[in-house]
Amino acid sequence: MNRKELIAGKILLSYVFLSIFLYCGFVNASVIVGNLSFVTGNVRVKKAAEKHYTKAAVGTIIHLNDKIETGMNGKAELMLGDKSEIHIGEATRLRVSRYFLSAESKRDININLIDGAIRAIVTAGRGRFEVTTRNSIAGVKGTDFMEIGRAHV
């Protein structure tokens, strides 16, 4: 191989890796994890690809890595694709950071609780369902529990 062919091969390989990287980012951003089934007060959503929050309403579709934020008078409920429910309390920020649900009802879900309080009603199923905070990880298989996290006290 001469020098020109070697450089052309490296450039082609770089384009292939860049295309795969961009495709994977697009696929992850488009994964629907659920929708808001209840909203009251000040509730906002920041889409993963956006810079600003928008006002949330019942039916707002939530995608992987979207952030949900409630104000001092805000509450919301997130209904996930496996029928688990996340009740989001006042002054709370969270992000669905991992979401996989197979046709066989196997799941791998992680809710990142940045600040505030949630109540999770988790349907029984195979796989992982975790809630992480700055200081802890709670993993469940089918239960009803509350988690409180504070960003910086």
Side-chain angles (χ1 to χ4, degrees):
M1 241 191 226
N2 67 30
R3 184 171 167 79
K4 286 183 180 180
E5 290 173 333
L6 186 62
I7 291 173
K10 286 182 179 180
I11 290 172
L12 179 61
L13 190 60
S14 296
Y15 280 125
V16 168
F17 281 120
L18 179 62
S19 298
I20 291 170
F21 176 75
L22 292 174
Y23 174 76
C24 289
F26 173 76
V27 168
N28 283 339
S30 66
V31 172
I32 296 174
V33 301
N35 66 68
L36 295 177
S37 57
F38 173 81
V39 173
T40 186
N42 185 18
V43 180
R44 306 182 314 161
V45 174
K46 181 180 169 293
K47 297 294 182 183
E50 300 292 324
K51 292 183 179 182
H52 303 286
Y53 282 87
T54 58
K55 186 172 175 60
V58 171
T60 298
I61 302 294
I62 304 299
H63 295 90
L64 184 65
N65 290 315
D66 288 355
K67 289 183 181 176
I68 303 170
E69 177 180 274
T70 59
M72 290 304 292
N73 67 341
K75 292 182 182 179
E77 292 177 12
L78 173 60
M79 178 68 72
L80 298 175
D82 70 342
K83 303 298 182 214
S84 294
E85 300 174 26
I86 308 296
H87 297 250
I88 306 165
E90 297 178 345
T92 296
R93 291 180 296 148
L94 66 83
R95 176 174 63 94
V96 180
S97 59
R98 192 173 62 237
Y99 186 86
F100 172 77
L101 184 62
S102 72
E104 300 84 31
S105 297
K106 187 170 182 181
R107 64 178 167 218
D108 186 7
I109 299 172
N110 180 273
I111 308 295
N112 178 236
L113 180 59
I114 300 163
D115 192 25
I118 64 169
R119 174 183 177 201
I121 302 171
V122 181
T123 59
R126 298 181 334 205
R128 289 191 305 197
F129 189 106
E130 299 173 339
V131 176
T132 58
T133 68
R134 197 178 74 162
N135 299 317
S136 68
I137 299 174
V140 299
K141 295 236 183 236
T143 190
D144 182 344
F145 72 98
M146 286 189 73
E147 182 82 25
I148 299 173
R150 294 288 174 233
H152 293 31
V153 183

